[in-house]
Amino acid sequence: MADRTVDGGSWTGCTVLFLQSLNPGVNLLSLFKDRDQGKFIVFKVIKLTLIDSVGGLGGYEILKVHDADPLLGVEVKFVDESACQQFLESYSSGAVRQSLSQHASRLLALSQELPVETQLKASEHILDLYLDKLELCLKHIHLSQPERLRDEEIDHLEQQLQNQALGPAPQTNPITQDECVVPSNCFKFQNRVFEDRMLTASDVQSFSNGVGRQWKYVGRALGKSCRALKAPAIDNLAYEYEREGLYEQAYQLLNRFIEAEGRAAKLSRLVKALEDCKLTNLAENILDIQA
């Protein structure tokens, strides 16, 4: 999509993502007010979520994280229309909320995923009301121009995150995902970094050949962040393609996922669903990892 411009300049826009934990024992706002480790952990959760949802480190920057009691507000400036569109698609599909939940649970060492509530605004417009109208959301964000430069606090947190990603001098033990930021457009599996991308026909074929009767469980795992696979969609697929057998049922499942999610139907989401279902061997096969 070609970038539209403001007064002959590059495309820019601004949006605010509001966050709130639904776990009464975890208050994201209070954690961010903690001047020590809590602030950094919450910022890292936000940063990793943006990397996931935009597909990299470019096209946006965090300007400010502020108190919107009881919510935590994250002001984001987009400098690339395609990055903004990909973020909106991820937000609409539920992938942003899922990333927030997973990263927060991991970095806060919780026993289960942290349920979170989100709201997206551009100026006074609540974009959650227009998520089925992507162009309108982009327009509102484009018209909502940033009113401030990035806070010094954010500069400090970005530098702290970068220093952690670079790490100390080389050690004998490998760096884990908890100790570094995964490079843009990548994801980690079994302590290895893989380039993220849209699912291909080859991926669909490998999945359909190997998943067998477990395809329903994978479908439900994908359905946590994909509206098209919410119940009773899985059972409907099973009934509709029962005569064609397991291969066709699995094949149609991923096709439904790709059609619904578009560019957000990423390899990382399928691998995560396979991990959740204890199907790591199939994930290794799709990633072409040699035994």
Side-chain angles (χ1 to χ4, degrees):
M1 179 182 295
D3 285 353
R4 293 189 285 268
T5 60
V6 177
D7 299 331
S10 300
W11 193 96
T12 59
C14 193
T15 185
V16 181
L17 175 64
F18 292 97
L19 315 173
Q20 184 178 19
S21 164
L22 298 180
N23 183 335
V26 179
N27 188 312
L28 296 176
L29 178 59
S30 295
L31 280 170
F32 191 77
K33 289 180 178 179
D34 177 3
R35 304 303 299 181
D36 298 317
Q37 190 66 9
K39 180 182 291 292
F40 177 69
I41 289 176
V42 173
F43 180 78
K44 186 173 180 180
V45 167
I46 295 167
K47 186 72 174 184
L48 290 173
T49 297
L50 284 172
I51 291 172
D52 289 346
S53 59
V54 177
L57 294 166
Y60 65 93
E61 64 172 323
I62 300 172
L63 296 181
K64 182 180 178 65
V65 180
H66 59 87
D67 182 346
D69 193 18
L71 308 175
L72 184 68
V74 184
E75 187 172 345
V76 182
K77 174 186 176 182
F78 287 96
V79 295
D80 180 83
E81 186 177 10
S82 61
C84 186
Q85 178 176 331
Q86 186 162 346
F87 171 78
L88 284 170
E89 290 173 350
S90 296
Y91 185 86
S92 176
S93 70
V96 169
R97 187 177 298 179
Q98 183 183 38
S99 289
L100 281 167
S101 175
Q102 291 174 349
H103 289 306
S105 301
R106 178 173 57 81
L107 293 174
L108 293 171
L110 304 177
S111 59
Q112 56 187 4
E113 288 192 8
L114 178 71
V116 293
E117 188 175 67
T118 61
Q119 185 183 79
L120 194 64
K121 293 185 70 174
S123 296
E124 298 303 314
H125 298 282
I126 300 175
L127 301 184
D128 301 73
L129 303 176
Y130 314 111
L131 292 177
D132 58 336
K133 300 174 182 177
L134 182 61
E135 286 294 326
L136 181 59
C137 291
L138 282 169
K139 179 181 178 181
H140 286 318
I141 292 175
H142 181 46
L143 293 175
S144 176
Q145 292 297 305
E147 299 177 354
R148 60 171 67 88
L149 297 176
R150 186 162 71 175
D151 275 8
E152 291 184 2
E153 179 180 57
I154 302 300
D155 284 330
H156 174 74
L157 288 166
E158 289 277 12
Q159 186 61 53
Q160 189 177 352
L161 194 58
Q162 184 177 356
N163 291 341
Q164 187 186 71
L166 293 173
Q171 302 291 321
T172 303
N173 295 327
I175 297 175
T176 66
Q177 186 173 352
D178 286 342
E179 297 166 336
C180 71
V181 176
V182 177
S184 62
N185 224 22
C186 296
F187 66 100
K188 265 200 169 184
F189 174 72
Q190 295 185 344
N191 208 33
R192 291 175 59 179
V193 177
F194 295 88
E195 182 181 359
D196 205 3
R197 54 172 172 74
M198 290 181 61
L199 291 171
T200 65
S202 176
D203 298 328
V204 176
Q205 186 175 21
S206 296
F207 171 81
S208 305
N209 275 324
V211 72
R213 297 184 181 277
Q214 305 298 312
W215 72 268
K216 282 189 177 182
Y217 298 102
V218 179
R220 293 189 183 103
L222 289 171
K224 293 177 182 177
S225 63
C226 177
R227 294 178 182 176
L229 297 181
K230 299 291 185 185
I234 305 298
D235 290 334
N236 289 343
L237 279 172
Y239 177 78
E240 187 175 355
Y241 297 98
E242 182 179 11
R243 290 187 177 182
E244 286 81 356
L246 295 174
Y247 177 92
E248 188 64 20
Q249 290 171 329
Y251 185 92
Q252 293 299 331
L253 170 75
L254 274 200
N255 267 354
R256 184 75 57 88
F257 176 66
I258 292 170
E259 289 172 3
E261 298 298 294
R263 291 190 300 173
K266 295 292 188 71
L267 177 63
S268 57
R269 294 176 68 183
L270 176 59
V271 170
K272 176 63 172 59
L274 291 171
E275 280 189 281
D276 290 346
C277 298
K278 314 299 183 187
L279 296 172
T280 54
N281 288 342
L282 181 53
E284 290 171 355
N285 183 41
I286 292 173
L287 293 171
D288 198 24
I289 299 175
Q290 301 300 318

